[in-house]
Amino acid sequence: MAEDSATQGTYDGSRDGMVSELGCYLHVRPGQAENLRRAVREFATSSGRQGMVGAAEKIGVRTLRGTLFDNDTRFLFATTFDTDWDTYVDDAVEMMGGIAPWGKFLQYCEEVPPDAGTPGAVGNADAKELLAKVRTKAAVYIDTYPEVSCKKFNRALQVLAAFEKVLDNPDAAEALKHPALKPLLDQAAE
């Protein structure tokens, strides 16, 4: 079950095992809902989105979500990650070269400077302070795999892909008869 991590570092969000959450509930600038929606979609197909695979391995980012609600007057920016708040935000902001990739959509929210999407407009320390001011602690946070890091997930997928190649290779039939491989073959059969 999720545990409160108020005593772990400076992060005051919720945590389950090694996984932390960050939720920011923001107010959409009047008349900017469509711009925000467009910018979020652009982010989802940009190099920022493509970079999430690398970010998963490097800084442990698991998910990122943006949701308009309350008749497009509010915006939820949420992410989950494998580390504590300080480590994640410092690494994420450094890896992105500032907040500009997120700022391209967050700039349509009242709590964020309107130039946040411009590289260098919001410094790393200011970005961290901004996120700290707008975050809201989850009442409960539960992760399906709280003790498995993104790095381990990626490694497991690589091992699975390699094992499936072995299973598909007719030349491996004799080797696969070895008793030491029985646990792997039993798993593969499920």
Side-chain angles (χ1 to χ4, degrees), residues 19 90 179:
V19 186
D90 290 343

Side-chain angles (χ1 to χ4, degrees), residues 160-183:
L160 176 62
F163 186 60
E164 287 175 347
K165 281 184 182 179
V166 170
L167 291 176
D168 291 342
N169 186 334
D171 295 334
E174 190 61 36
L176 290 171
K177 292 178 184 175
H178 194 283
L181 295 177
K182 186 175 180 341

Side-chain angles (χ1 to χ4, degrees), residues 49-139:
R49 165 64 172 104
Q50 305 309 317
M52 281 191 67
V53 174
E57 185 78 19
K58 186 172 181 180
I59 65 172
V61 64
R62 297 166 84 92
T63 62
L64 190 140
R65 180 174 58 152
T67 305
L68 283 145
F69 64 102
D70 280 351
N71 293 321
D72 291 349
T73 62
R74 303 287 310 276
F75 181 69
L76 166 64
F77 173 67
T79 183
T80 58
F81 41 95
D82 288 349
T83 60
D84 61 62
W85 156 259
D86 286 313
T87 302
Y88 172 71
V89 174
D90 290 343
D91 289 349
V93 169
E94 181 181 324
M95 186 175 168
M96 292 187 303
I99 198 173
W102 290 347
K104 288 183 186 206
F105 56 87
L106 292 176
Q107 67 187 342
Y108 298 110
C109 298
E110 292 178 353
E111 296 83 355
V112 178
D115 63 350
T118 304
V122 178
N124 292 9
D126 291 334
K128 185 174 182 177
E129 185 178 330
L130 171 83
L131 291 170
K133 285 180 182 176
V134 298
R135 66 186 179 194
T136 301
K137 181 179 178 176

